[in-house]
């Protein structure tokens, strides 16, 4: 009780102090000097904000200064610093200047162009223009980023040659501040998104585990003191349907706010199954995102957020047996064991935030779960023959991953010279998995002995992992031009794994032979430092150099299903060390933006996963060192009113400096081979023109051309996808807040392999497809 009393006095003291501050007040006008109403004005790094009235005037109480973000449909988002009263801010109409984008890359809300970091920021308007529906759609939009999946919606993402080659990704994904812990628990579907931030390069200091290649940070739209929302309908060929809607509104003005958005989508799929002469990959999903926000005081707030994704996929792995088969007979499979993938993801978080004139404090608690199984056994060999099928439908006690995380964070308030962040993080993960491989009549084709035919090999694993971390980062303005940033993070992880292997001869449900039963525990720790020196050439031009470190956690792996071999093997964390030199520039009254980065990354103790057949066991080992060198350029321009160009490109040379693997007892040297899922270059050019043809009516025309270089899908570099080009178009009308758009993807109908396993099974990127979008905002 004494501690609670002290805390209450502490919060009350700062709340009364905040209330005593003079407000920020002013007016928002257009270029003609006329006031603009209903502009959202938000103080960064706080819960404070307001809307302009009919004359464009606004007042924000209990705060005397700060960085303001101003936004309204039809106008370019701006970020300005303000203090006191009589503040006058001019907003430009959309597509007359480049938008400013707020990012939280350093766990503080800041202008993306002012941060000394390699970051790509995609605003909500750009998300609509690019028609980004899934995280994999940001391929090539972000330089040196590539993302794809084999059809099951678990995206493998590579940034700068560092890819997510296992269930512990090398590129971390955060949604509304919550680390999407693994490929099991994150939601790739995108809708009602405020912005996407992609941090390129090692990000271990602030983001910790599995941020070696970078971080994808997704922020969805949250409720405010004004009722807003949208309704959207998408219809396309191949039976594509996508219905979404959302609303954000105050329940009690200035106190309690509610937000809800959802999306239902379905499609007949792009593939045909020749064996059954039917559509193969038809699917549907329902996804929701719900907020409840309570302002207990002007300084203290609580936000409850619930997300879910319920996915049903009738052809989770539309794979051809080889790259040649995929390209010679595009979008056709020949599989005998067809089933439905049931995939239920739940994410919940509770955030408490306290903002004072001295320090900002945030606590975020999250719970994530994923229950994923095949309704009936699935084809494991992707052929019409009865070779291998996989079953994992053993009830909710199995294949049901659960994760609990907790982060405490302290950040500085607005300061002219010093900014800092400090915090602690912890997690617990429970992953019980069970699956059975059934060896069919023709399993001998892949080396299964005759005595194993018609039998089941059942693998049961129970993994329990936990970890803690402490981190801090400080930026200090040494002079008006020089700024120094330094940070350090310490992570500790403990992993426990138990494995039970059972053999069921002739598929008899009552006859079991235990082949191996073992368990092991391993722990690791890692330090992740960062150092940045930045020099401000002018108000709009900055250069900086950064050293940073990231790591991907180690763990335990099955070494073999043979009982005569050691059943479990530990592998170490892998580390990335990145050095980069960057320049950020804005010219001509925010009409031209150009950002350039040159980088060098070295990865030590690279984790190499290998799928072993016929046991279908993935073995992970530390087997080499990787080097990645490259350059990235991002440019945007609005040369005349209504016209915008974007050109983003990246070139990367990512190769294994050393790599030795064992095959059939023989060591093979792969030194110099290229990294996986890494196009040698990415390039995107987008052009959009919007013109007013009548009062409140505009016409929009947009084209996009992207080009990707050669890439490889196996360590031997025998599975190669040559470089290719893609074209997308989008055109329609905008009447106030109503949009009607026609779109076409992959206009030239280019066939290309987007994803392939190292044993050859291949999945194509989507063919030419088209549709219409109708969207109404309010």
């Amino acid at each position: 009780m004494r501690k609670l009393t002290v805390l209450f006095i502490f919060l009350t003291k700062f709340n009364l102090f905040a209330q005593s501050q003079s407000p920020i007040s002013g007016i928002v006008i257009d270029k003609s000097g006329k006031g603009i109403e209903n502009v959202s004005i938000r103080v960064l790094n706080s819960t404070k904000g307001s809307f302009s009235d009919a004359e464009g005037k606004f007042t924000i109480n209990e705060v005397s200064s700060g960085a303001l973000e101003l936004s309204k449909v039809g106008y370019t988002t701006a970020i300005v610093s303000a203090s006191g009263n009589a503040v006058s801010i001019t907003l430009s109409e959309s597509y007359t200047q480049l938008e400013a984008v707020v990012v939280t890359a350093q766990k503080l809300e800041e202008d993306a162009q002012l941060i000394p970091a390699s970051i790509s920021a995609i605003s909500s308007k750009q998300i609509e223009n690019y028609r980004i529906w899934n995280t994999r759609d940001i391929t090539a939009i972000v330089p040196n980023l590539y993302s794809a999946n084999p059809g099951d919606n678990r995206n493998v993402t590579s940034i700068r040659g560092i890819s997510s080659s296992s269930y512990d990704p090398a590129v971390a994904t955060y949604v509304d501040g919550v680390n999407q812990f693994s490929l099991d628990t994150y939601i790739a579907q995108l809708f009602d998104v405020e912005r996407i931030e992609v941090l390129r390069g090692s990000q271990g200091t602030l983001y910790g585990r599995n941020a070696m290649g970078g971080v994808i940070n997704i922020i969805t739209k949250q409720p405010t003191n004004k009722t807003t929302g949208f309704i959207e309908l998408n219809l396309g060929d191949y039976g594509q349907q996508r219905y979404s809607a959302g609303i954000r509104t105050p329940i009690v003005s200035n106190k309690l706010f509610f937000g809800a958005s959802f999306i239902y989508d379905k499609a007949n799929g792009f593939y045909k199954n020749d064996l059954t002469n039917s559509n193969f990959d038809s699917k549907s999903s329902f996804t929701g995102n719900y907020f409840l926000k309570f302002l207990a005081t002007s300084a203290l707030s609580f936000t409850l957020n619930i997300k879910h994704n319920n996915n049903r996929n009738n052809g989770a792995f539309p794979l051809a047996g080889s790259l040649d088969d995929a390209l010679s007979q595009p979008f056709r499979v020949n599989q005998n064991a067809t089933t439905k993938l049931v995939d239920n993801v739940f994410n919940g978080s509770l955030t408490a935030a306290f903002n004072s004139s001295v320090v900002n404090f945030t606590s975020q608690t999250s719970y994530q779960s994923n229950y994923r199984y095949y309704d009936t056994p699935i084809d494991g060999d992707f052929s019409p023959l009865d070779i291998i099928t996989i079953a994992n439908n053993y009830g909710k006690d199995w294949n049901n991953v659960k994760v609990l995380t907790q982060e405490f964070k302290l950040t500085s308030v607005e300061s002219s010279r010093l900014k800092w962040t400090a915090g602690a993080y912890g997690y617990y993960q429970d992953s019980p998995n069970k699956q059975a491989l059934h060896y069919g009549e023709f399993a001998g084709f892949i080396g299964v002995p005759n005595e194993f035919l018609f039998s089941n090999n059942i693998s049961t694993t129970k993994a329990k992992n936990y970890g803690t971390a402490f981190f801090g980062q400080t930026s200090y303005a040494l002079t008006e031009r020089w700024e120094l940033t330094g940070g350090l993070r310490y992570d500790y992880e403990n992993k426990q794994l138990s494995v039970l292997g059972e053999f069921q001869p002739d598929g008899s449900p009552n006859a079991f032979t235990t082949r191996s039963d073992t368990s092991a525990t391993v722990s690791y720790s890692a330090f992740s430092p960062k150092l940045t020196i930045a020099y401000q050439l002018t108000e709009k031009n900055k250069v900086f150099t950064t050293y940073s470190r990231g790591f991907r956690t180690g763990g335990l792996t099955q070494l073999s299903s043979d009982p005569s071999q050691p059943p479990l093997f530990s592998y170490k964390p892998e580390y990335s060390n990145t050095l980069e030199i960057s320049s950020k520039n804005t010219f001509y009254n925010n009409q031209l933006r150009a950002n350039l980065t040159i980088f060098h990354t070295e990865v030590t103790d690279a984790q190499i996963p290998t799928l072993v057949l016929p046991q279908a066991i993935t073995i992970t080992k530390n087997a080499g060192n990787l080097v990645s060198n490259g350059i990235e350029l991002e440019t945007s321009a609005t040369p005349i009113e209504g016209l915008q160009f974007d050109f983003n490109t990246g070139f990367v040379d990512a190769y294994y400096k050393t790599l030795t693997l064992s095959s059939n007892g023989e060591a093979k040297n792969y030194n110099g081979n290229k990294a996986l899922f890494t196009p040698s270059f990415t390039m995107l050019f987008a052009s959009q023109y919007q013109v007013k043809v009548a009062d409140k009516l505009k016409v929009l025309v947009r084209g996009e051309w992207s080009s990707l270089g050669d890439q490889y899908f196996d360590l031997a570099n025998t599975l190669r996808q040559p470089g290719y080009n893609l074209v997308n178009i989008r055109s329609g009308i905008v009447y106030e807040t109503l949009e009607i758009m026609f779109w076409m993807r992959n206009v030239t109908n280019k066939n290309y392999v987007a994803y392939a396993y190292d044993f050859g099974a291949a999945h194509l990127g989507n063919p030419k497809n088209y549709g219409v979008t109708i969207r109404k905002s309010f």
Side-chain angles (χ1 to χ4, degrees):
M1 287 300 296
R2 185 180 300 111
K3 293 179 180 179
L4 289 174
T5 302
V6 172
L7 178 62
F8 177 77
I9 294 173
F10 176 81
L11 296 178
T12 302
K13 176 182 177 181
F14 281 114
N15 187 35
L16 291 174
F17 179 83
Q19 293 177 357
S20 66
Q21 299 183 78
S22 58
I24 298 176
S25 61
I27 186 171
V28 185
I29 57 176
D30 60 21
K31 287 185 176 181
S32 68
K34 182 182 177 181
I36 308 173
E37 65 175 328
N38 288 329
V39 177
S40 171
I41 304 141
R42 188 173 65 88
V43 182
L44 301 188
N45 299 299
S46 78
T47 59
K48 309 297 189 302
S50 182
F51 286 86
S52 59
D53 62 19
E55 297 178 346
K57 296 180 179 179
F58 69 93
T59 299
I60 304 176
N61 294 313
E62 302 171 12
V63 58
S64 59
S65 63
L68 306 182
E69 179 192 39
L70 298 94
S71 61
K72 183 184 178 178
V73 174
Y75 291 85
T76 298
T77 299
I79 302 172
V80 299
S81 295
S83 61
N85 51 29
V87 176
S88 180
I89 304 169
T90 302
L91 283 189
S92 301
E93 289 191 23
S94 296
Y95 307 111
T96 59
Q97 287 184 334
L98 297 172
E99 282 193 311
V101 181
V102 172
V103 295
T104 52
Q106 299 186 128
K107 305 221 170 186
L108 291 165
E109 291 184 322
E110 300 170 279
D111 187 336
Q113 279 298 104
L114 299 181
I115 297 176
S118 297
I119 178 170
S120 301
I122 307 173
S123 69
S124 59
K125 178 53 68 175
Q126 288 176 305
I127 291 169
E128 290 181 30
N129 290 337
Y130 280 113
R131 212 220 66 169
I132 298 175
W133 287 359
N134 188 289
T135 56
R136 67 175 177 270
D137 294 336
I138 62 175
T139 293
I141 296 173
V142 177
N144 286 325
L145 184 147
Y146 180 80
S147 186
N149 67 64
D152 67 343
N153 214 34
R154 289 183 172 182
N155 294 334
V156 170
T157 301
S158 166
I159 297 179
R160 295 180 174 178
I162 301 174
S163 64
S164 302
S165 56
S166 69
Y167 278 98
D168 281 311
V171 175
T173 301
Y174 281 70
V175 181
D176 291 324
V178 177
N179 183 2
Q180 306 303 288
F181 210 75
S182 69
L183 295 181
D184 291 304
T185 54
Y186 91 107
I187 299 173
Q189 182 84 271
L190 295 176
F191 65 105
D192 204 25
V193 174
E194 181 68 33
R195 65 184 182 274
I196 301 173
E197 311 166 3
V198 181
L199 290 80
R200 308 187 302 275
S202 306
Q203 305 295 331
T205 304
L206 290 179
Y207 292 93
R209 65 194 312 275
N210 303 341
M212 292 175 48
V215 173
I216 300 174
N217 197 14
I218 301 166
I219 295 88
T220 63
K221 295 183 179 180
Q222 300 190 21
T224 65
N225 226 12
K226 195 173 189 65
T227 298
T228 59
F230 74 98
I231 299 173
E232 183 175 296
L233 165 69
N234 288 272
L235 296 174
D237 60 342
Y238 295 98
Q240 295 181 87
Q241 301 175 50
R242 196 174 192 260
Y243 311 100
S244 59
I247 186 169
R248 296 170 292 275
T249 187
I251 298 175
V252 179
S253 183
N254 298 315
K255 275 294 180 183
L256 186 63
F257 312 91
F258 173 76
S261 57
F262 73 89
I263 181 170
Y264 174 76
D265 73 322
K266 63 181 297 185
N268 295 335
F270 300 117
Y271 281 78
K272 295 286 187 181
N273 190 351
D274 288 338
L275 190 66
T276 61
N277 193 30
S278 62
N279 293 334
F280 180 77
D281 56 333
S282 62
K283 52 193 170 185
S284 65
S285 71
F286 179 72
T287 307
N289 186 20
Y290 316 98
F291 282 96
L292 187 64
K293 186 171 184 177
F294 173 59
L295 297 184
T297 70
S298 61
L300 180 63
S301 66
F302 298 91
T303 303
L304 176 66
N305 179 223
I306 300 295
K307 294 180 173 69
H308 66 84
N309 174 247
N310 306 100
N311 180 41
R312 303 294 180 265
N313 191 332
N314 291 309
F317 294 95
L319 298 162
S322 68
L323 274 69
D324 289 339
D325 289 345
L327 293 170
S328 63
Q329 301 179 32
F331 303 101
R332 307 195 78 87
V333 298
N334 205 351
Q335 298 185 19
N336 64 319
T338 58
T339 185
K340 178 171 66 177
L341 170 66
V342 178
D343 194 3
N344 296 319
V345 180
F346 175 87
N347 285 350
S349 67
L350 178 63
T351 304
F354 175 73
N355 304 109
S356 76
S357 60
V358 178
V359 68
N360 296 327
F361 169 77
T362 303
S363 167
Q364 186 173 64
T365 306
S366 79
Y367 172 78
Q368 305 168 41
S369 69
N370 172 236
Y371 180 39
R372 176 185 169 105
Y373 64 91
Y374 310 118
D375 193 34
T376 56
I378 191 172
D379 200 326
D381 53 82
F382 317 116
S383 81
L385 300 179
D386 184 16
I387 299 177
I388 288 181
T389 54
I390 301 172
N392 68 353
N393 189 0
Y394 290 98
K396 288 191 175 182
D397 291 337
W398 299 102
N399 307 303
N400 195 346
V401 178
K402 303 178 183 68
V403 180
L404 181 67
T405 70
Q406 174 64 56
E407 182 178 76
F408 298 108
K409 182 180 66 177
L410 293 168
T411 60
S412 60
V413 296
E414 191 74 20
S415 170
S416 59
R417 303 192 68 176
L418 179 66
K419 294 181 292 186
W420 56 267
T421 300
Y425 176 82
Y427 81 89
Y428 175 79
Q429 180 185 34
D430 181 23
S431 302
N433 292 289
K434 185 174 183 177
Q435 73 172 24
L437 272 68
H438 175 74
Y439 300 127
E441 178 182 0
F442 299 100
F445 289 178
I446 59 172
V448 176
N450 289 336
E451 60 268 26
F452 287 177
L453 300 184
F454 306 106
S455 65
N456 292 328
N457 192 349
I458 302 174
S459 175
T460 303
T461 63
K462 295 180 179 179
K464 296 182 182 294
N465 311 321
Y466 66 87
T468 58
F470 301 92
F471 60 89
Q473 180 171 298
T474 298
S475 297
Y476 184 71
L478 302 172
T479 67
E480 288 186 358
R481 295 185 181 270
W482 288 97
E483 182 182 55
L484 179 66
T485 300
L488 183 65
R489 183 185 184 106
Y490 172 76
D491 283 89
Y492 170 83
E493 297 201 3
N494 180 281
K495 294 196 169 187
Q496 304 172 26
L497 179 65
S498 64
V499 178
L500 173 65
E502 296 175 299
F503 180 66
Q504 195 177 53
D506 300 325
S508 173
N510 298 317
F512 284 92
T513 300
T514 300
R515 305 189 64 186
S516 60
D517 186 2
T518 187
S519 62
T521 301
V522 67
S523 60
Y524 302 99
S525 60
F527 285 97
S528 302
K530 177 181 179 179
L531 181 66
T532 300
I533 300 175
Y535 181 71
Q536 195 79 37
L537 294 167
T538 69
E539 182 183 357
K540 299 291 186 178
N541 307 90
K542 174 179 286 189
V543 293
F544 57 92
T545 182
T546 298
Y547 163 76
S548 58
R549 195 185 200 209
F551 80 100
R552 175 158 52 183
T553 179
L556 293 160
T557 184
Q558 287 181 257
L559 190 59
S560 172
S561 63
D562 185 342
S564 66
Q565 299 294 321
L568 289 178
F569 177 81
S570 64
Y571 55 92
K572 299 181 292 184
E574 63 176 351
Y575 298 91
S576 64
N577 293 275
T578 298
L579 181 65
E580 60 183 61
I581 301 173
S582 302
S583 173
K584 288 187 171 183
N585 307 277
T586 303
F587 305 99
Y588 306 118
N589 192 28
N590 291 334
Q591 289 184 279
L592 174 64
R593 185 182 298 150
N595 298 335
L596 177 69
T597 298
I598 301 172
F599 64 88
H600 170 78
T601 298
E602 294 191 9
V603 177
T604 57
D605 292 320
Q607 295 172 8
I608 306 298
T610 303
L611 179 64
V612 179
L613 296 174
Q615 299 95 333
I617 294 173
T618 299
I619 298 174
T620 302
K621 293 183 178 181
N622 301 100
N625 298 316
L626 183 143
V627 174
S628 178
N629 301 306
I631 185 170
E632 296 159 345
L633 174 67
E634 294 179 286
T635 60
S636 295
T638 55
I640 60 174
E641 183 176 348
L643 179 64
Q644 180 167 332
F645 297 112
D646 296 287
F647 178 71
N648 303 329
T649 187
F651 293 83
V652 62
D653 180 21
Y655 62 93
Y656 285 97
K657 185 177 181 180
T658 61
L659 179 61
T660 302
L661 298 175
S662 179
S663 177
N664 298 321
E666 179 184 353
K668 291 190 175 182
N669 186 311
Y670 294 108
N671 294 355
N673 281 20
K674 299 297 184 181
L676 309 187
F677 301 105
T678 304
S680 57
F681 67 86
T682 65
M683 191 174 296
L684 178 134
F685 176 77
S687 176
Q688 178 170 304
Y689 184 60
Q690 180 174 282
V691 59
K692 183 182 291 186
V693 295
D695 186 35
K696 301 180 181 180
L697 178 64
K698 299 177 182 178
V699 173
L700 182 147
V701 179
R702 179 182 179 87
E704 300 163 10
W705 169 80
S706 61
S707 182
L708 283 79
D710 294 0
Q711 66 170 313
Y712 296 91
F713 301 109
D714 68 321
L715 295 168
N717 286 181
T718 59
L719 304 178
R720 171 177 169 266
Q721 168 60 54
Y724 56 91
N725 303 310
L726 299 174
V727 176
N728 302 324
I729 59 173
R730 182 173 181 264
S731 180
I733 61 171
V734 180
Y735 181 78
E736 291 189 317
T737 58
L738 174 66
E739 295 184 6
I740 302 175
M741 295 290 164
F742 168 81
W743 48 263
M744 183 180 290
R745 315 286 289 181
N746 192 2
V747 172
T748 61
N749 202 28
K750 173 66 178 177
N751 291 329
Y752 62 96
V753 174
Y755 186 99
Y757 287 101
D758 57 5
F759 56 87
H763 177 71
L764 296 180
N766 293 346
K768 179 174 70 175
N769 61 102
Y770 56 86
V772 62
T773 298
I774 303 173
R775 181 184 176 92
K776 171 64 178 176
S777 302
F778 58 87

